[in-house]
Amino acid sequence: MIFKQLFEPVSSTYTYLLGCDETGQAVLIDPVVSAMDRDLTLLNDLGLTLAYTVDTHIHADHITAALELKRKAGSRIAAPAFDHLPCTDHAIEEGVPLVVGSISVDPLHTPGHTDGHFSYRFNNCVFTGDALLIDGCGRTDFQNGDARALYHSVHKKLFTLPEDTLVYPGHDYHQRRVSSIGQEMKRNPRLSLDKSMDEFLDIMRNLNLPYPRFIDYAVPGNKLCGVCPSHLPEDLEKYCQQITESTQG
């Protein structure tokens, strides 16, 4: 099995490549359009064919590369069935593994950051998107977010996994790459086992985070599996660099 963790610095997003040695097929979890050429080059270098792109949720801070990779690599788009996106080829549901060669990914519905958020378990790893970050979690104040639901998702679902399960988050802003379920249970300052629901709700209620700069462009674009607006403010073009360069070139 081939595994690569890839980092996109503009949105601090981690993309994960899973490759099957036997069939040469691969899956990309949370690909970012501005890093699409990097991913295509890596697939080519490894001799892999991209079978599926898989998103954890409808992102607000970047445009997914799902649609562009489908056009360029012939991959299929997998996304949570909960979101009813008409552009998907495969609707992901909890309890129904996504199987690609020797790769079997177990979807876990973990709402709270968004109502349709999924995490994905693979072997001794879980890809937690924005539901559980290293020493943190995603915000819950937009896209039908719900702090109470997120607490339950983490405590009742993710924290029931074996403690040595490796946690690979959707983002990190401090150059950290991996944690574990046991570590987050013990020391996550928002969601550790010694934090009550009321304490967590109070923490999330008082974050006072700014309105996400790219959300009004990213969410509509990602509901179409990765369409960037044709007229972006100049300071936001970096979020859609791959598409804007290809249309201008």
Side-chain angles (χ1 to χ4, degrees), residues 31-50:
V32 181
V33 75
S34 60
M36 181 174 60
D37 282 350
R38 174 205 65 190
D39 298 343
L40 289 170
T41 298
L42 179 61
L43 288 161
N44 183 66
D45 290 347
L46 294 172
L48 296 172
T49 299
L50 184 61

Side-chain angles (χ1 to χ4, degrees), residues 147-199:
R148 189 176 296 273
L150 182 57
Y151 186 90
H152 283 300
S153 291
V154 173
H155 279 252
K156 303 298 185 183
K157 197 163 287 187
L158 295 177
F159 283 178
T160 64
L161 300 175
E163 290 191 26
D164 64 352
T165 303
L166 298 177
V167 172
Y168 286 100
H171 302 277
D172 194 78
Y173 308 97
H174 304 285
Q175 300 181 333
R176 298 167 299 189
R177 300 176 67 87
V178 62
S179 181
S180 70
I181 290 296
Q183 176 173 305
E184 296 308 314
M185 290 169 67
K186 292 178 178 66
R187 56 176 262 187
N188 190 299
R190 297 181 186 178
L191 283 160
S192 59
L193 290 181
D194 62 358
K195 287 287 189 295
S196 69
M197 169 73 82
D198 286 341
E199 287 176 298

Side-chain angles (χ1 to χ4, degrees), residues 134-153:
I134 298 173
D135 290 343
C137 64
R139 59 196 292 178
T140 58
D141 57 339
F142 57 80
Q143 289 182 268
N144 298 317
D146 183 330
R148 189 176 296 273
L150 182 57
Y151 186 90
H152 283 300
S153 291

